[in-house]
Amino acid sequence: METRRLGNQGLVVSRLGLGCMGMSDAYGPADEAESIATIHRAIELGITLFDTSDAYGPFTNEELVGKAIGDRRDRVSVATKFGFVGGTDGKGGGSIDGRPEYVREACEGSLRRLGVDHIDLYYQHRVDPNVPIEETVGAMAELVRQGKVKYLGLCEAASETIRRAHAVHPITALQTEYSLWSRDPEDDVLPTVRELGIGYVAYSPLGRGFLTGRLRRFEDLAPDDWRRHRPRFQGANFQKNLELVDRVKEIAASKGATPAQLALAWLLAQEGVVPIPGTKRRRNLEENAAATDISLTADDLRRIEEAAPKGAAVGARYEDMSGVGR
């Protein structure tokens, strides 16, 4: 698989990464054996960027990723995150902590669970409104000087915060949600990171699975599936968003591709963007990886723009957006 430079500090990763959250958290029952096999298959396909967080599980996803990459460490770049205390779903409080002492404590825990001597890309998972970003990034920069972390990243940060952080220590990557149904980054965030030479990692590039076209009813979601509590998957929003998916599906069919592949190919056509679609199954991984072979013409991009214009999706990304875009 071709590679892409992420930021200006020297990190080079595969054009497509793998989001590992769903292997342990949020998307129904876990299957450790299949998840590990999926990570191994991703490495075989040339995928080098693997994304996790101490919040996923919490903690168990880092342990799983560490187990999977153990004897393949030299072939991968591991990205993990800190900041959500007790997990992303409120278990144990779900608070956000960006204090320097917590940064150092969280890093030690992640190194131990991953079984590595350094983290390739270390993100602040969400910006702490009670701690100046300069203090948090200052602590992260100290981890770089100590050799525990190679590159720094931020998640869901606003443009002004990105600029302030980058002035303290070079930020290699910003990660936010970006897909055909979440195009808000185009307003301000993407222009900012491109100006500053920061790489961009797109999480949920398949709209949390919606853009695959496989979800047709709310009832298709497992009882413990995290998406049941997200506005875009509820009531009339679900039905309205199906119309967007069906339009994407029609264009995909004309290209001999699946809707998921078309959605990923569209992201891959955007300057400097590295999507990290998540899956816990090899068959979905292989489908996603094949998107890197799809070339979109100017006419294809025009048709996609008409089918899925910015703002086409109905409903908020989260039921509480207060922690996003600080």
Side-chain angles (χ1 to χ4, degrees):
M1 185 177 294
E2 291 181 7
T3 58
R4 183 166 282 180
R5 183 176 295 277
L6 202 55
N8 288 338
Q9 285 73 56
L11 181 58
V12 176
V13 299
S14 50
R15 291 179 67 209
L16 196 75
L18 177 62
C20 299
M21 181 182 84
M23 297 176 178
S24 309
D25 197 11
Y27 292 93
D31 182 338
E32 180 174 301
E34 177 61 17
S35 293
I36 290 175
T38 298
I39 292 173
H40 289 172
R41 179 62 178 141
I43 296 171
E44 290 173 0
L45 291 170
I47 291 173
T48 65
L49 179 62
F50 294 85
D51 186 89
T52 182
S53 169
D54 62 4
Y56 302 156
F59 308 126
T60 55
N61 194 242
E62 286 185 325
E63 293 170 350
L64 177 119
V65 170
K67 185 183 296 186
I69 67 167
D71 61 352
R72 297 163 170 81
R73 177 66 177 104
D74 60 343
R75 299 166 63 184
V76 305
S77 291
V78 178
T80 193
K81 315 175 191 73
F82 73 91
F84 272 125
V85 183
T88 59
D89 59 0
K91 294 176 183 176
S95 59
I96 297 172
D97 195 339
R99 293 173 302 129
E101 56 268 36
Y102 183 74
V103 175
R104 294 188 286 268
E105 175 189 334
C107 182
E108 293 299 334
S110 290
L111 289 168
R112 183 178 64 255
R113 286 183 293 272
L114 289 163
V116 298
D117 62 5
H118 71 274
I119 295 163
D120 297 292
L121 178 56
Y122 200 39
Y123 292 102
Q124 182 181 21
H125 208 151
R126 289 291 187 274
V127 176
D128 186 342
N130 300 312
V131 179
I133 192 66
E134 289 83 359
E135 293 184 17
T136 303
V137 174
M140 295 168 72
E142 182 60 30
L143 297 173
V144 175
R145 288 189 286 272
Q146 293 171 357
K148 295 176 180 178
V149 168
K150 282 195 170 183
Y151 304 101
L152 302 185
L154 300 175
C155 295
E156 292 285 6
S159 291
E160 181 57 30
T161 302
I162 297 166
R163 291 182 185 279
R164 288 168 54 196
H166 195 63
V168 174
H169 186 280
I171 301 298
T172 290
L174 177 79
Q175 182 178 141
T176 71
E177 182 172 352
Y178 187 34
S179 71
L180 283 172
W181 83 340
S182 292
R183 296 182 57 179
D184 293 349
E186 295 172 359
D187 287 341
D188 194 31
V189 168
L190 274 169
T192 297
V193 297
R194 286 168 178 159
E195 174 195 336
L196 297 175
I198 297 171
Y200 185 91
V201 174
Y203 78 81
S204 293
L206 298 178
R208 308 187 190 282
F210 208 96
L211 292 171
T212 66
R214 298 188 187 103
L215 287 172
R216 306 303 298 178
R217 304 176 307 142
F218 179 81
E219 291 74 21
D220 292 339
L221 299 171
D224 59 347
D225 194 307
W226 175 81
R227 291 171 289 185
R228 281 177 169 262
H229 306 289
R230 298 298 176 260
R232 290 187 177 178
F233 289 85
Q234 297 173 334
N237 290 349
F238 191 106
Q239 295 305 315
K240 188 69 176 175
N241 289 329
L242 276 179
E243 297 175 12
L244 183 156
V245 173
D246 288 340
R247 293 194 296 270
V248 171
K249 197 172 185 178
E250 183 178 336
I251 299 172
S254 72
K255 295 287 293 182
T258 67
Q261 289 169 336
L262 188 78
L264 291 173
W266 178 82
L267 275 173
L268 290 165
Q270 310 305 312
E271 179 192 344
V273 175
V274 175
I276 51 167
T279 184
K280 50 189 173 183
R281 299 180 180 89
R282 281 169 285 181
R283 66 176 183 272
N284 295 340
L285 168 77
E286 290 168 352
E287 176 186 339
N288 294 342
T292 60
D293 296 325
I294 297 173
S295 296
L296 297 179
T297 65
D299 186 58
D300 292 331
L301 293 170
R302 178 190 58 76
R303 292 174 64 202
I304 294 169
E305 178 66 32
E306 291 173 354
K310 186 180 168 194
V314 180
R317 292 196 283 134
Y318 298 96
E319 59 269 51
D320 178 7
M321 292 287 289
S322 62
V324 174
R326 286 176 173 149

